[in-house]
Amino acid sequence: MSTESAASIDAERIQQFAAGVRGVVLQSDDAAYDDARAVRNGLIDRRPALIVQCHGTADVVEAVGFARDHGLLVSIRGGAHNVAGNAVNDGGIVIDLSEMRSVHVDPEHRVARVQGGATWGDVDRETQLWGLAAPGGQVSTTGVAGLTLHGGLGSLHRKYGLALDNLRSVEIVTADGQVRTASESVNPELFWAVRGAGSNFGVVTSFEFALHPVGPEIYQAAPIFSLDDAPAVLRKYRDFCATAPDEFGPQAMFWSVPAVDDFPAELHGMPIVLALVVYSGDPDEGEQLLAPVLDWATPILDLSGRSPWALAQSSFDAFFPFGGYYYWKSLLVGEPSDDLLDAVVEAAADRPSPDAIVNFWQLGGEIERVAPDATAFAQRDAKYLLSLDTSWFDPDSTERCIDWTRRTWAAMQERFATDRPYLNFVGFGEEKEALVRASYGANYDRLVAAKMMYDPGNLFRMNNNIPPRG
Ligand SMILES: Cc1cc2nc3c(=O)[nH]c(=O)nc-3n(C[C@H](O)[C@H](O)[C@H](O)COP(=O)(O)OP(=O)(O)OC[C@H]3O[C@@H](n4cnc5c(N)ncnc54)[C@H](O)[C@@H]3O)c2cc1C
């Protein structure tokens, strides 16, 4: 498809377009342009020709039409957390939803209507008023849109499924400019495709989520063990996970003690494993049930305790600031052998930055009770996610950090003969079609057919792209 640069579009035409939207259209000479083009990952420095800060669905329709008529490269901006920077592009148009963040809760029917630019912090804030929550991510600044449309892992996925499993419907503006509802009963094929490959099919202007009773207080076990104890701790973690009820949201996070006041100065920088298990039921019950986690080894520090749900959901925020450097890659794996556990510890010991996390996250539960072809998200049977969340703040470390992540990821793939990624953690998505084929598996051909139906010109391609061909 031909891609025009907005620079070649008549200034008068751009002016007419800007006058027709309720939001703001920014170009490079506007004072707000640089802030508007920045995304969370400081590695991304792109200069779109136009940024449309939409104020509603009608603005989105206008922007999609303008982009299509002028053959512009399109990015959709939700929470701007995507590590590859797909929320922005060079020379094209950004359909920016960051001012569309309203959340409306219907407590009686336990559903929330969430606009396409909202963050998980926005959702938790409103749903917790009613003691309810939707399964989302673990950092409150992450966008609902990107996270949900490609999966959605957090502390509730074993009990209530992926974020996308909790969608009841979406409102989406497709490439032809139509505003469509998609649900099990209306446009069901589009709804199927959106739940796993959403950014390929249009701009989702709102999501309708099922809500569940969570909080307002929860209990979480959070002992911190020395890395020296990690081989034994990981084995206990695996045994614990084998019989863990769905209310447990367990993960083993390999990290270094952050050099901030919340932690004793003598521990700063020490390599550790944090055994984080969130209990989403009654906190008193959680405290009792999770007591054994503290005995996996002798903790060097114990952060376990009760917490308001919304606070627990934002406790990692400070460690992933805007403008930090991020390159995260992941592998979905089955039941872990001793060899796999040892490889995780080896990778953890070799992390290229104290801010890099190797996260070993239990999946299963409600995720695997959904059939692999029930939604576009196919990877239902994985038992764990191994995620190399490489973060750093010194620009001189960039090459080393990216290189380490790529090498470690490739070595793990080879050693454990698996290539299944979680599409929300794919670095820059540089493996392109191989990556999406590995992720969607048997659902891939059906997705291509849906793409041919809803976006035959591939207007929406700044994503893990499904090209509209056979
Ligand atoms: C600090 C941090 C913490 C994270 N924590 C978690 C976690 O706990 N669990 C988890 O599963 N993932 C997590 N992620 C990964 C996260 O899910 C992805 O980065 C996701 O892409 C972020 O979505 P976003 O809306 O913020 O990003 P954006 O960069 O705005 O968008 C991501 C993709 O979705 C598209 N998109 C955005 N909005 C829309 C829309 N309204 N309609 C259609 N397409 C749209 C974009 O074009 C882009 O392709 C985390 C990432 C970071 C950086």
Side-chain angles (χ1 to χ4, degrees):
M1 98 179 306
S2 74
T3 300
E4 196 173 337
S5 160
S8 59
I9 300 171
D10 184 40
E12 204 177 319
R13 182 68 195 92
I14 293 177
Q15 245 174 18
Q16 275 170 4
F17 165 60
V21 298
R22 194 154 58 95
V24 176
V25 177
L26 297 171
Q27 300 186 64
S28 60
D29 51 357
D30 287 305
Y33 174 80
D34 278 331
D35 281 347
R37 73 186 178 87
V39 294
R40 186 147 296 258
N41 191 353
L43 294 173
I44 308 296
D45 179 17
R46 298 197 183 130
R47 303 188 63 82
L50 296 175
I51 301 173
V52 192
Q53 296 182 318
C54 298
H55 281 192
T57 302
D59 284 358
V60 174
V61 170
E62 204 77 35
V64 166
F66 187 82
R68 195 190 53 239
D69 292 350
H70 294 89
L72 291 175
L73 181 60
V74 175
S75 284
I76 310 165
R77 182 190 179 103
H81 265 231
N82 181 263
V83 160
N86 284 329
V88 282
N89 63 50
D90 280 316
I93 188 168
V94 174
I95 302 178
D96 180 351
L97 272 70
S98 57
E99 297 194 12
M100 291 172 58
R101 290 172 53 174
S102 83
V103 177
H104 180 261
V105 178
D106 174 348
E108 193 188 340
H109 297 100
R110 290 188 176 168
V111 291
R113 173 63 69 180
V114 178
Q115 272 193 309
T119 64
W120 285 106
D122 299 329
V123 174
D124 283 328
R125 170 106 180 121
E126 295 299 327
T127 56
Q128 278 294 282
L129 263 184
W130 310 98
L132 298 170
Q138 284 187 319
V139 172
S140 76
T141 51
T142 312
V144 169
L147 182 141
T148 302
L149 294 171
H150 309 98
L153 298 173
S155 305
L156 300 177
H157 56 246
R158 304 190 67 248
K159 177 74 177 160
Y160 298 117
L162 300 164
L164 62 78
D165 292 327
N166 289 274
L167 278 179
R168 292 294 163 265
S169 70
V170 295
E171 179 188 86
I172 182 168
V173 178
T174 45
D176 56 3
Q178 293 297 305
V179 183
R180 298 172 199 264
T181 295
S183 68
E184 290 288 2
S185 54
V186 183
N187 294 312
E189 191 63 9
L190 181 58
F191 191 50
W192 176 87
V194 158
R195 287 175 294 163
S199 56
N200 277 276
F201 291 92
V203 185
V204 176
T205 44
S206 75
F207 299 85
E208 187 188 13
F209 284 103
L211 303 176
H212 310 277
V214 178
E217 268 205 326
I218 52 97
Y219 179 84
Q220 50 189 355
I224 294 179
F225 303 109
S226 157
L227 189 63
D228 296 340
D229 291 324
V233 166
L234 258 195
R235 281 162 175 77
K236 296 215 164 137
Y237 172 71
R238 176 184 57 188
D239 295 347
F240 170 87
C241 288
T243 57
D246 292 349
E247 285 77 12
F248 290 1
Q251 59 197 113
M253 298 173 75
F254 294 85
W255 202 0
S256 298
V257 175
V260 295
D261 289 346
D262 293 348
F263 297 94
E266 66 275 15
L267 297 182
H268 287 179
M270 183 178 182
I272 48 137
V273 52
L274 163 65
L276 181 66
V277 187
V278 174
Y279 185 73
S280 57
D282 173 66
D284 291 334
E285 202 175 272
E287 184 161 9
Q288 269 188 351
L289 290 169
L290 294 179
V293 176
L294 307 186
D295 295 330
W296 289 353
T298 306
I300 58 162
L301 198 65
D302 182 19
L303 306 179
S304 306
R306 297 169 76 114
S307 163
W309 168 252
L311 189 65
Q313 286 288 91
S314 57
S315 53
F316 287 101
D317 288 12
F319 304 111
F320 305 105
F322 205 94
Y325 303 118
Y326 306 108
Y327 184 81
W328 299 2
K329 274 179 118 59
S330 62
L331 271 182
L332 294 160
V333 298
E335 287 299 353
S337 60
D338 284 352
D339 191 25
L340 176 61
L341 298 186
D342 290 341
V344 172
V345 178
E346 281 163 32
D350 190 39
R351 290 170 308 119
S353 146
D355 301 296
I357 295 176
V358 170
N359 199 354
F360 197 54
W361 217 342
Q362 194 193 7
L363 305 178
E366 197 55 29
I367 298 176
E368 64 183 339
R369 289 186 200 111
V370 176
D373 62 353
T375 66
F377 186 96
Q379 302 299 338
R380 298 283 178 175
D381 62 345
K383 301 295 180 200
Y384 289 83
L385 177 73
L386 170 60
S387 183
L388 308 173
D389 301 347
T390 310
S391 309
W392 64 102
F393 301 104
D394 169 11
D396 292 341
S397 303
T398 295
E399 207 180 312
R400 190 165 49 81
C401 285
I402 293 180
D403 179 58
W404 177 85
T405 315
R406 285 184 175 147
R407 270 190 297 106
T408 308
W409 186 69
M412 289 282 188
Q413 286 195 69
E414 204 182 312
R415 184 159 160 187
F416 300 105
T418 176
D419 63 352
R420 300 187 295 163
Y422 172 48
L423 283 183
N424 273 334
F425 301 143
V426 291
F428 300 147
E430 50 272 55
E431 298 80 11
K432 296 193 185 299
E433 197 164 330
L435 201 62
V436 287
R437 278 185 182 276
S439 174
Y440 295 117
N443 288 343
Y444 185 76
D445 290 344
R446 185 169 164 191
L447 276 170
V448 172
K451 182 79 172 172
M452 302 278 281
M453 190 180 314
Y454 288 105
D455 185 17
N458 209 5
L459 187 66
F460 301 112
R461 61 185 182 282
M462 285 296 291
N463 44 36
N464 293 307
N465 194 231
I466 298 159
R469 49 185 154 73

